Each structure stands twice: as structure tokens, then as C-alpha cells.
Amino acid sequence: MTFEDLKLTRQFLNAIEDWGFEQPTEIQIKAIPPIRSGQDLIGIAQTGTGKTAAFLLPILHLLKYAQGTQPRCLILVPTKELVMQIVSHAEHLSKYTDLRVIGLYGGIGPKAQAQEMEKGKDIIVATPGRFMEIYFKGVIDCKKIKHLVLDEADRMMDMGFMHQLRKIFEIIPNKRQNLLFSATFPERVEHLAEEFLLWPTRVEVSPQATPVETVEQFLYRVPNFRTKIDLLVHLLETDESMERVIVFTRTKDYAENISKYLDRKELGEVRVIHSNKGQNSRINAMADFRAGDVRILVSTDVSARGIDIPEVSHVINFSIPRDSFDYVHRIGRTGRAFRAGTAISFADHTESYYIRKIEDVTKQLIPVLELPESLFIHPTPKSEKQDQAREIDKQKHREDPNYKGAFHEKKYKLKGEKKVSRSTSNRKQNK
Ligand code: ADP
Ligand code: MG
């Protein structure tokens, strides 16, 4: 199957060729014809399978050329990084047309985007919040919107965009083509689909949430943060195949501290992205990483959702994501379209719980590797032990909502509050 077989017109075939795509991916083969024929469609395919071009190509095709000033297509995505990525994709693919694309996203003032909008655009790519903000400035005329795309629908549901999406559905014409793309299809996405798609065609290219087959996965069991850091340094020092590594951490503080530490160890260029970093710093970090000038990118997983990072050799989960679907997304950063990669996870004993959930979702067991012999196993500091005990309590509570917890809650009373030891009575109850 070639792009020619998909009957795209010359200007798109040329753009595709310039970009170096040789053949369409499976989701592209399956989604392009029905979208071109105007159908509503749900597309489910793992991260890195080429979903963006799967909806952009047929839409660009339907829009053909610039027309008037009112936008005709609205693409909604969860993060600003994703907006920028899709805009860039659209610019590549439409380079031999005069179609006009704009990205609307937060983190910078709305004024410039509103002014740009007034010049007339054919396609808007936006986060829901910023779209509404600009809409209320009165510079978006929605009457001509004929195509709506929700990309990374699972992420949008996770991030609580439902309310904003409903508002947007109200202000755009009812008569339109609706497309929904997602890496996974959990129940909340199904509800969203039921709410806004009309007799959709459903195309799915691989079983739900199965990690890309080209990704090798491994797990190290590591007792604490300090030992995790040493293991990370050890791997970066000894494994030369780690050419371009992305390290995912749970919190901004972890991301910041780990990146500083790695920087001091001189293991190659390091950048960090998290939500406290300014917009420019994040864009620059991503650009440097993408250009291959940076070996290590440390990121919180929220900042990295849906970003297209080509040719990542390794993903390291410094902490295990609480949401199994995040794991699938994270490891999807390696093994992007037609490339192989490795995903390595570090789990302390409290994180085994999340590993089990991931293994349930992916229906694969992650092979466990022995810790390197030379690695010093630090004792777990008291404060970390307490955090771990609290985490275990939380997990037990989640499994059994009647579970009250054996951990001394009095330690977490605010100053000035009366200290009451609930733990003694709880323990009695649990016996
Ligand atoms: P998804 O949205 O499914 O996660 P993307 O659309 O971001 O995936 O595409 C992932 C990567 O694959 C991008 O770098 C993109 O340029 C590349 N890609 C997409 N389609 C093709 C193709 N037909 N041939 C080669 N590379 C492709
Ligand atoms: Mg995508």
C-alpha cells in the first residue's frame, strides 16, 4: 500500500515525499478513506503510529485551499506542546497549498494569537481553554466549522476537559464531521464518543494499550530514591547505546533535582521540562533535544504528554506512573513509527502495586533485571520510609475503602491542631 493508492492529490504526495514518509502506516491506511468520504470516525492506535497525518491528510484534502476568513476545521488537543506539534505537522503537509493554520495555546498572552486569528485561518489547532478565551474576544467566527477533531481524547478526559468540550460543542455548528483519536479507549472516552459522534466508523489498529512491539521493557526493583539516582547514573555511564534518553519523574521537584545532579555528573547535555519552567525554556529544551544536541531530557509526565519526540533510544521511568495508561504513553516515546527502543522502569516496593496494574492493562509481564553488583544500596531514610508507609496505606485504602490505615496519622496534623492518635483505635478496628 502506498500513499498513491490512497488517491491523494499531487501537492500532498509531494509534501509527503519531501518529509520522507515512504508508505502510510496502518492507521493512515484505515482512517484516510472514510474521513475523506465525510464520515465520523473513532481512531484508536498506539502512540507513535502516525495518527496525526491520519486525520490531517484527509482534512487538508477536503479543505483544498484557503477560503474566506472563517475557520473550517477545529482540532482540539490537551496540551500546548501538542498544539505546536500538530501545527508543524499541518504546515509540512500543506506546504504546496495556501491553507492557513493557527495554533492557540496558553502560557503566553492571548493578544498576539487573537490578532493573528483576525487575519483569517482555515484550520485552528487549540487547547480547549485557550480556544474559549480567544472565542470570547470575538475574533473566531465558528459558523463555517465543518470538521472537528479531538486528538488524544484519553488525555483530555484524564485532564478534566469534558466541561469545556461541551461548551465548545455548543458554539460550533451541529452539522459537521467529528473525529476522535486516542491511544487508549477507556470507558470515559467511550462516553465522550457516544455524546458527540454520529454513527462513527471505528478503526483500531492494535489491541488496546498494548505497548508498541518494538519496545523492549525492563524493570529494576530499587528500594529508595537515593539508590535510584545511583542506578540512573550507573546506566548512563556504562550503557553507550543510551544515546537519547528521556527520564520521567513524578514531581517537578524530582525532575529539577535529578536534572541538576545529572548535569554535575557530566554525562552529556541535560535539559528539564516541567510546568514551573517558562514557555520559552520548555520550547528550547524540546528543540535542543529534538535536534540531537541533548542526551538526557528529564520531564514530569504531564509536561510530556503527547509530545512527539523522534528517535528516543531509551525511556526511563524514574518513578512508576500512577495511571497505567501514562505508562503506555511514556514508553510510546521509544519505538516511534518504525524504530526500536528500550523502556526501563525503577520501582520501589510501594510501586509494585502500580507495576501490577500496568501488567494487567498491557497483558505483558515486564522482565525484572538484577541490580548491578557494583551498585551501593543506600538505606532508606526515615522520612522516605514514612512516605512509603503512607503510600501503602493509600493503596490498601483504594482496594478496600473500609481500610482505615495503620500508619500514624497524627504526624500529619497541622501545627496548632490538637494531636489525636487515631492509629491506635484504627488498629483495633482492623483486627
Ligand atoms: P501518534 O499521534 O500516533 O502518536 P504521530 O502522528 O505523532 O503519532 O507520528 C509519530 C511519528 O511518526 C512522527 O515523527 C511522524 O512524523 C512519523 N510518521 C507518521 N507517519 C509516518 C509514515 N507514514 N512514515 C514514516 N513516519 C511517519
Ligand atoms: Mg498523536
Side-chain angles (χ1 to χ4, degrees):
M1 191 77 167
T2 63
F3 281 108
E4 271 87 0
D5 296 333
L6 290 169
K7 302 199 173 58
L8 299 170
T9 51
R10 198 69 249 166
Q11 67 256 47
F12 295 114
L13 292 175
N14 289 345
I16 290 166
E17 203 181 307
D18 289 357
W19 207 3
F21 293 3
E22 279 162 18
Q23 64 201 63
T25 64
E26 203 181 337
I27 187 78
Q28 290 162 2
I29 293 170
K30 288 188 176 162
I32 290 175
I35 298 177
R36 271 186 69 181
S37 75
Q39 289 185 46
D40 276 15
L41 180 136
I42 298 173
I44 305 154
Q46 298 152 291
T47 305
T49 49
K51 293 191 286 300
T52 319
F55 62 78
L56 279 179
L57 276 170
I59 286 179
L60 293 170
H61 223 274
L62 289 166
L63 299 180
K64 283 197 187 80
Y65 40 75
Q67 222 175 65
T69 54
Q70 298 133 305
R72 289 172 289 155
C73 170
L74 173 61
I75 300 169
L76 295 170
V77 301
T79 65
K80 57 189 153 191
E81 280 82 7
L82 208 48
V83 171
M84 292 188 284
Q85 181 194 317
I86 292 176
V87 167
S88 139
H89 239 85
E91 282 168 353
H92 274 291
L93 292 173
S94 64
K95 68 191 250 199
Y96 295 115
T97 73
D98 59 355
L99 288 166
R100 300 150 302 172
V101 187
I102 185 170
L104 306 178
Y105 50 84
I108 49 172
K111 203 168 152 210
Q113 290 171 0
Q115 278 169 354
E116 186 60 28
M117 191 64 229
E118 284 187 299
K119 292 183 191 162
K121 300 288 165 191
D122 302 290
I123 300 171
I124 299 178
V125 187
T127 55
R130 179 50 66 99
F131 175 82
M132 286 309 284
E133 196 181 342
I134 306 264
Y135 173 79
F136 283 127
K137 290 190 182 297
V139 294
I140 305 177
D141 179 345
C142 294
K143 280 200 284 295
K144 290 275 166 66
I145 293 179
K146 292 264 168 54
H147 311 273
L148 175 72
V149 182
L150 301 186
D151 191 23
E152 304 245 352
D154 48 1
R155 291 266 72 89
M156 286 216 261
M157 293 298 96
D158 289 350
M159 292 167 79
F161 280 130
M162 192 63 210
H163 182 64
Q164 273 172 319
L165 289 179
R166 285 209 182 104
K167 272 199 214 148
I168 296 175
F169 300 162
E170 273 169 28
I171 58 172
I172 59 177
N174 261 329
K175 203 167 165 234
R176 56 169 201 257
Q177 179 178 34
N178 297 296
L179 309 173
L180 180 150
F181 281 84
S182 197
T184 60
F185 202 63
E187 216 170 296
R188 54 197 184 283
V189 177
E190 216 171 317
H191 290 315
L192 170 71
E194 274 165 20
E195 193 167 324
F196 95 111
L197 290 127
L198 200 64
W199 311 113
T201 306
R202 180 167 158 159
V203 296
E204 199 168 348
V205 302
S206 59
Q208 249 197 68
T210 303
V212 191
E213 265 141 37
T214 52
V215 180
E216 274 197 290
Q217 303 174 67
F218 298 110
L219 175 68
Y220 282 107
R221 300 207 176 273
V222 197
N224 50 48
F225 182 84
R226 194 67 194 77
T227 314
K228 283 186 177 184
I229 286 271
D230 284 358
L231 177 61
L232 179 59
V233 170
H234 174 90
L235 293 175
L236 288 163
E237 271 172 351
T238 54
D239 189 344
E240 277 176 16
S241 74
M242 292 198 173
E243 286 166 37
R244 206 184 303 183
V245 184
I246 179 159
V247 180
F248 286 109
T249 70
R250 206 152 43 101
T251 68
K252 296 186 261 250
D253 289 343
Y254 276 15
E256 192 64 37
N257 294 337
I258 292 168
S259 71
K260 281 192 183 133
Y261 188 78
L262 293 178
D263 205 31
R264 279 203 299 276
K265 288 275 168 185
E266 299 188 349
L267 297 158
E269 283 290 309
V270 184
R271 295 285 186 282
V272 61
I273 52 172
H274 56 69
S275 57
N276 273 8
K277 289 266 164 192
Q279 170 88 343
N280 282 341
S281 139
R282 291 164 73 180
I283 293 175
N284 291 341
M286 281 309 303
D288 294 346
F289 189 65
R290 201 168 274 147
D293 303 334
V294 170
R295 184 185 184 204
I296 307 157
L297 181 73
V298 186
S299 170
T300 56
D301 93 280
V302 176
S303 301
R305 275 174 188 172
I307 301 177
D308 176 33
I309 304 161
E311 288 183 87
V312 177
S313 63
H314 292 72
V315 160
I316 296 183
N317 293 305
F318 193 89
S319 26
I320 307 304
R322 276 22 184 176
D323 180 337
S324 314
F325 293 115
D326 273 340
Y327 178 86
V328 178
H329 275 263
R330 285 183 182 191
I331 75 162
R333 305 296 164 226
T334 71
R336 309 292 284 177
F338 315 120
R339 295 181 189 116
T342 307
I344 304 173
S345 298
F346 298 175
D348 66 27
H349 75 279
T350 71
E351 292 174 304
S352 303
Y353 174 80
Y354 300 105
I355 291 289
R356 278 195 302 276
K357 300 220 152 195
I358 289 164
E359 290 177 335
D360 282 351
V361 165
T362 60
K363 301 194 177 62
Q364 294 181 12
L365 290 178
I366 308 173
V368 179
L369 295 181
E370 293 283 328
L371 289 173
E373 262 180 40
S374 61
L375 188 77
F376 178 72
I377 312 291
H378 293 269
T380 308
K382 199 168 161 216
S383 66
E384 192 173 354
K385 269 194 189 141
Q386 285 174 350
D387 288 345
Q388 292 179 343
R390 202 159 22 149
E391 170 61 33
I392 295 275
D393 261 10
K394 227 195 284 171
Q395 294 167 4
K396 288 193 177 145
H397 185 76
R398 203 169 305 153
E399 295 302 310
D400 170 15
N402 292 322
Y403 180 81
K404 291 289 188 332
F407 191 61
H408 289 260
E409 284 183 34
K410 63 176 182 186
K411 293 215 170 63
Y412 301 98
K413 285 276 166 202
L414 292 172
K415 261 195 207 130
E417 245 179 277
K418 218 168 113 192
K419 285 189 181 170
V420 275
S421 170
R422 297 232 307 266
S423 56
T424 346
S425 55
N426 285 343
R427 231 178 270 133
K428 270 189 212 128
Q429 278 172 21
N430 280 313
K431 270 180 188 162

